[in-house]
Amino acid sequence: MPRVPLDSLPGESRVWVFGSEHPVTDTSAQWLLDIVDAFLDQWAAHGAPLRAGRDWREHRFLTIAVDQSTAGASGCSIDALFRALRESEDLLGTTMIGSGRVYYRNSDGSVASATRDLFSTLGATGAVGPETPVFDTTVQTLADWNERFETPLGASWHARLLPEGAGSERTGR
């Protein structure tokens, strides 16, 4: 089955979100999307084509979704997806697999990434706070991605990264 628009997939579709440590723009972004599209066009699990789509946002986030109702992605097919992206990282000059980074919106509206330790420090200094938009790369379904991929820090699991007492009074957008 060929790749389909992400918004045509059902809400229970399985989602993987890959965040780039650094912005990927212009020809590098197009190159990445060409690789991903070619992969999705032939993606299969145990010989069964997978109905899948992708989204690229903020020069940082690649979201892949697969409709598990038609054919479920298997361990081997998921490994193939991760392998294809890992092979792209060196050429892109960024990390997208297993970075463990926290992504948030700066006060100027741009997207930044930080290690969890640095993000905690930003919380302690008031640079980020409960109203700071964060990106939840751990969402599991397309419905969750649509609902809460970008959400206020205070309403997200990211709030656990703030030091105790790091202010509910802070807006830190």
Side-chain angles (χ1 to χ4, degrees):
M1 234 175 250
R3 166 179 39 95
V4 298
L6 192 78
D7 61 3
S8 72
L9 295 171
E12 61 274 1
S13 296
R14 174 70 169 94
V15 167
W16 294 269
V17 179
F18 303 95
S20 175
E21 184 177 356
H22 306 290
V24 178
T25 59
D26 304 325
T27 56
S28 293
Q30 190 56 58
W31 178 83
L32 172 64
L33 295 177
D34 289 346
I35 295 294
V36 169
D37 289 348
F39 180 86
L40 295 180
D41 285 340
Q42 57 79 39
W43 200 18
H46 304 292
L50 295 175
R51 186 170 176 248
R54 59 103 174 138
D55 183 83
W56 177 247
R57 291 204 175 166
E58 305 284 344
H59 305 293
R60 292 228 190 214
F61 301 109
L62 175 64
T63 301
I64 305 286
V66 65
D67 180 357
Q68 300 273 72
S69 69
T70 56
S74 65
C76 291
S77 63
I78 296 167
D79 287 348
L81 170 64
F82 277 71
R83 194 169 36 257
L85 291 175
R86 189 170 307 280
E87 290 170 0
S88 303
E89 288 180 329
D90 285 343
L91 296 170
L92 293 171
T94 192
T95 302
M96 294 187 76
I97 306 291
S99 70
R101 299 187 73 79
V102 175
Y103 298 91
Y104 62 98
R105 240 182 236 293
N106 276 320
S107 58
D108 67 2
S110 66
V111 176
S113 75
T115 64
R116 288 177 182 218
D117 287 343
L118 176 57
F119 192 76
S120 291
T121 300
L122 293 170
T125 63
V128 298
E131 298 304 315
T132 301
V134 293
F135 297 88
D136 187 353
T137 60
T138 68
V139 292
Q140 300 288 309
T141 67
L142 188 55
D144 285 344
W145 182 79
N146 283 321
E147 197 173 295
R148 63 181 177 84
F149 174 57
E150 183 175 0
T151 191
L153 188 156
S156 169
W157 67 264
H158 296 83
R160 296 187 313 232
L161 299 175
L162 295 181
E164 202 166 314
S168 57
E169 75 281 356
R170 294 189 177 125
T171 58
R173 179 164 166 131

